[in-house]
Amino acid sequence: MIWLLRHAEAADGQPDEQRPLTDRGILQAEAAGRALAYLGEQIEVCLSSPMRRALQTAELACESLGIQVTVEPALGGEPIDVRVITAGLDSVLLVGHDPSLSLLLHDMTGAQSRMKKGGLAGISKGELLVLLRPADLAAIATAALTVTTG
């Protein structure tokens, strides 16, 4: 399974590669990780763009998943050859930017969709299985907290 997570909401400013997440973006990134964990996804590896907003998103999401983040320069905004960066992996989370992730989603599945900031897509064997907006992830993450805290 390949998961695509677009970086969460980031502050405006320059230099572009140093833009941090906003408070809302932090919540979006945490919700993505909690939602994936609650859904029982066993992700082997998280690969992230080196840009600050994507790396922060990946690190916050991966706290709930119990995995480390590896920086993958190819996710920094250029067209992505997913076969190269995911070779040998069964379940991977790629954290990056648009339009690269939306183009990758289309190339892999044929789906015509734009990834929202903080949005998540799940792809298996060329089929789009799930496309979740940040609000969807927040709802799942809230349900997860309710279930685990009783």
Side-chain angles (χ1 to χ4, degrees):
M1 182 84 138
I2 295 175
W3 291 95
L4 306 178
L5 176 59
R6 184 175 175 197
H7 70 78
E9 182 182 275
D12 292 328
Q14 294 296 325
D16 182 54
E17 53 280 336
Q18 291 300 317
R19 293 173 39 218
L21 295 181
T22 62
D23 290 343
R24 180 178 176 193
I26 290 168
L27 294 174
Q28 289 172 338
E30 291 170 339
R34 280 198 312 274
L36 281 168
Y38 179 69
L39 294 172
E41 290 304 317
Q42 299 297 312
I43 297 171
E44 295 174 75
V45 175
C46 175
L47 303 174
S48 174
S49 159
M51 292 189 187
R52 184 175 180 190
R53 59 192 178 276
L55 194 52
Q56 275 188 289
T57 299
E59 289 169 344
L60 290 166
C62 286
E63 284 179 14
S64 293
L65 298 170
I67 60 174
Q68 296 295 311
V69 177
T70 300
V71 172
E72 173 52 61
L75 292 168
E78 299 299 318
I80 301 164
D81 186 345
V82 73
R83 294 169 303 200
V84 172
I85 63 175
T86 63
L89 299 173
D90 290 323
S91 184
V92 61
L93 175 63
L94 304 178
V95 183
H97 310 270
D98 240 22
S100 297
L101 289 183
S102 292
L103 292 171
L104 179 58
L105 177 64
H106 174 71
D107 290 346
M108 292 180 71
T109 67
Q112 295 285 340
S113 184
R114 183 163 182 251
M115 299 274 306
K116 301 281 186 195
K117 288 179 184 167
L120 182 72
I123 302 165
S124 179
K125 299 178 184 170
E127 180 180 1
L128 176 61
L129 299 180
V130 63
L131 182 62
L132 298 167
R133 300 166 300 160
D136 303 323
L137 294 167
I140 294 168
T142 299
L145 289 175
T146 302
V147 169
T148 58
T149 60

